Amino acid sequence: MSHQLLKGKKGIIFGALDERSIAWKTALVAVAEGAEIVLTNAPIALRMGKINELAKLCNAQVIAADATSMADMENLMQKSMEIFGGKMDFILHSIGMSPNVRKNIEYTNTNYENFLKTLDISALSLHRVCQAAMKADALNEWSSILGLSYIAAQRTFPGYNDMADAKAMLESIARSFGYQYGFAKKVRVNTISQSPTVTTAGSGVSGFDVFFHYAEKMSPLGNASAEDCANYCVMMFSDYTRMVTMQNLFHDGGFSNTGVSAMLIEDLQKSNS
């Protein structure tokens, strides 16, 4: 049921690859709630994914943009404003990739060239997005920029590898840029720390299935789905959260505040009996 939370609002959605993507689902919910959107992803991702199908569903235009390129980010802001005929109100940064994870290179034996690419793609890209938007004066006052994060930024999950460091940097950039953008233009910048989610990107992490089931048994409400995350993102784009900024918001069914669950203890007791 639509409440038209984003009626009249316009924004950019980064990172929709296929139907399992959080960005894909967020795009659908945002449009259902009254928003107009532009979809964007790196050129290689546009070739691999199904973004043109999503564009038809959302009546949206697609702009190819490499988030590691400042020139591409500046072009994206200008073209988006041309499409919308003015400034925007929200941006979803759903970008993350680690060559070390893809190549199964262990954290203690990291390839540093790959590591720098991980940080560039997965964290510094948020800084570029914010910087390009600010330079172009592309966002209205009280606009919302969101980055998607994970609890590995605070706690160690070995299989998450250097992506954990990238997410920690992502959250720091959201705080630092949120301070600057808030004072300058009343724009808010936050991150959402989502449960392990069955997406094309998430499923590529070593031991993902174990992460997923462990979190499911630890979380009082269970794992938050991609659909639930999309709804949360839309709420964060809306005027109902206009005073929330510089926060890392846990959207994980209570996992982040649970030390251990009775369900997990029972499983451990069974395995030791």
Side-chain angles (χ1 to χ4, degrees):
M1 179 180 176
S2 171
H3 300 280
Q4 294 297 290
L5 291 179
L6 302 184
K7 185 177 181 180
K9 293 190 181 295
K10 303 170 177 65
I12 300 173
I13 304 285
F14 280 84
L17 186 65
D18 57 32
E19 298 92 337
R20 299 197 297 174
S21 306
I22 292 172
W24 182 292
K25 295 182 187 299
T26 303
L28 292 174
V29 177
V31 170
E33 290 294 339
E36 296 176 53
I37 63 170
V38 161
L39 296 166
T40 185
N41 214 328
I44 188 171
L46 296 185
R47 293 193 296 271
M48 292 170 55
K50 302 178 179 180
I51 198 168
N52 289 323
E53 294 179 21
L54 179 62
K56 289 179 182 177
L57 292 172
C58 295
N59 191 29
Q61 292 194 41
V62 178
I63 301 174
D66 180 351
T68 67
S69 165
M70 193 62 196
D72 277 15
M73 292 300 96
E74 290 172 347
N75 180 64
L76 173 65
M77 297 301 160
Q78 292 297 336
K79 283 192 173 179
S80 296
M81 285 193 289
E82 289 172 11
I83 290 168
F84 293 134
K87 297 182 184 182
M88 296 171 284
D89 306 285
F90 62 87
I91 297 173
L92 177 67
H93 175 284
S94 180
I95 304 169
M97 196 280 286
S98 165
N100 283 319
V101 170
R102 287 191 173 184
K103 296 176 182 179
N104 294 313
I105 298 173
E106 293 184 3
Y107 186 78
T108 53
N109 193 36
T110 196
N111 175 294
Y112 291 108
E113 185 176 344
N114 288 342
F115 200 155
L116 291 173
K117 288 179 181 177
T118 300
L119 298 177
D120 196 19
I121 295 167
S122 308
L124 291 180
S125 56
L126 177 62
H127 198 286
R128 286 192 195 87
V129 168
C130 294
Q131 182 170 306
M134 181 180 273
K135 282 187 174 180
D137 194 20
L139 296 175
N140 289 311
E141 285 194 352
W142 306 108
S143 290
S144 175
I145 300 174
L146 278 180
L148 295 183
S149 191
Y150 183 54
I151 196 172
Q154 289 86 28
R155 299 184 187 177
T156 301
F157 291 83
Y160 209 60
N161 208 306
D162 57 358
M163 278 299 297
D165 301 303
K167 292 300 187 185
M169 180 181 285
L170 180 85
E171 293 176 13
S172 179
I173 288 170
R175 289 188 295 271
S176 298
F177 226 114
Y179 172 88
Q180 300 290 344
Y181 223 158
F183 272 111
K185 294 289 181 178
K186 294 290 186 285
V187 171
R188 57 198 196 271
V189 186
N190 296 285
T191 53
I192 292 177
S193 189
Q194 166 70 358
S195 295
T197 310
V198 182
T199 64
T200 301
S203 300
V205 176
S206 175
F208 174 81
D209 288 345
V210 176
F211 277 0
F212 185 86
H213 293 299
Y214 168 73
E216 180 75 17
K217 292 187 175 185
M218 276 280 286
S219 309
L221 302 181
N223 287 327
S225 69
E227 290 84 358
D228 288 327
C229 190
N231 290 330
Y232 196 28
C233 288
V234 166
M235 183 194 71
M236 290 303 299
F237 295 151
S238 79
D239 291 334
Y240 287 106
T241 54
R242 63 188 295 170
M243 296 305 292
V244 182
T245 194
M246 300 165 63
Q247 303 298 312
N248 179 54
L249 303 161
F250 286 102
H251 185 254
D252 59 7
F255 177 88
S256 50
N257 276 327
T258 303
V260 69
S261 68
M263 190 182 302
L264 195 61
I265 289 172
E266 288 172 10
D267 283 354
L268 290 170
Q269 287 173 335
K270 287 176 185 176
S271 66
N272 289 331
S273 61

